[in-house]
Amino acid sequence: GLLRSDGAMLAAMFAAVAVYYLLPGLAFAIIGAALFFALALLKPYLTPAPIVASMSLFFRPREIGHYLFPLAEFLILASVAAWVLRDAYELARRPGGLAALPTIALDALRRPFVWAAAGFLVAGLLSLVLPHPTHRAEALREFRWTIVEPLLFFALLVRYVRTEVDMFRILNAFLIAAALNAQVGVDQYLFGDTW
């Protein structure tokens, strides 16, 4: 049925994101977040597409009370949580599952660009010693936004983008994000919000 169709599940994920992001109030944010997380548990390999599509909305975060949550940040964290829970559950069900962890780790290290990502993380960690202690909070926030979350997204791509279909799904999501970004630029130009 519909649960087996990737297209229907992807549409449901985008609908859950719309509920989370567009509808006002904490209740809709919780409902949308819970729906997206449940769908991500069912089909985690579809989660990179909504993340890519949401990236152009980074400067338009979801407001909940006095707090602001960038959409891509929420989607990355929810997707990684669903991935970890699902893989941990499958590993626990497998006979001798924990013994397979070293093999899984070695396979991950053989994927393209993983060592570059590890170097990026090390450089980011080293950068945390440079700021004055009075600016540590800002440095940690920037570290989360510019190092940790992009690396988590990279890990999702390494884990789930393996076939041509997966790549085209990501490319289509990128085109959606580019169209949204272009629309914002046109609006700003037409209504005098920018030079």
Side-chain angles (χ1 to χ4, degrees):
L2 284 177
L3 289 179
R4 292 184 182 169
S5 163
D6 285 350
M9 287 293 284
L10 199 53
M13 278 185 181
F14 277 102
V17 170
V19 169
Y20 168 81
Y21 184 69
L22 297 175
L23 299 180
L26 179 61
F28 283 118
I30 291 171
I31 290 167
L35 284 172
F36 179 80
F37 184 71
L39 294 167
L41 279 172
L42 287 172
K43 299 236 179 181
Y45 61 90
L46 296 177
T47 58
I51 294 169
V52 170
S54 72
M55 287 182 179
S56 64
L57 300 171
F58 184 80
F59 289 111
R60 293 182 177 189
R62 172 69 159 99
E63 191 174 334
I64 301 174
H66 299 295
Y67 300 100
L68 300 174
F69 299 94
L71 181 57
E73 181 176 25
F74 159 72
L75 294 176
I76 289 169
L77 296 177
S79 299
V80 168
W83 161 30
V84 168
L85 283 174
R86 185 180 171 105
D87 280 8
Y89 175 73
E90 289 178 5
L91 200 61
R93 288 183 55 208
R94 191 186 307 173
L98 291 178
L101 276 177
T103 306
I104 292 169
L106 284 174
D107 287 344
L109 290 174
R110 291 188 187 115
R111 297 296 305 266
F113 304 108
V114 168
W115 287 104
F120 183 61
L121 177 61
V122 169
L125 286 170
L126 291 174
S127 75
L128 288 176
V129 300
L130 296 175
H132 191 272
T134 58
H135 298 288
R136 190 63 41 97
E138 294 92 345
L140 287 170
R141 185 180 63 240
E142 293 298 323
F143 176 74
R144 188 185 83 222
W145 284 348
T146 58
I147 306 291
V148 174
E149 288 168 6
L151 286 175
L152 290 174
F153 178 62
F154 171 76
L156 281 167
L157 292 178
V158 167
R159 174 67 175 91
Y160 291 120
V161 179
R162 299 191 177 212
T163 67
E164 194 172 289
V165 171
D166 297 330
M167 286 185 260
F168 276 112
R169 188 182 306 117
I170 298 299
L171 179 62
N172 287 332
F174 176 77
L175 293 174
I176 291 169
L180 287 172
N181 230 11
Q183 178 265 323
V184 170
V186 168
D187 283 354
Q188 287 179 335
Y189 177 76
L190 291 177
F191 297 105
D193 291 337
T194 184
W195 52 271

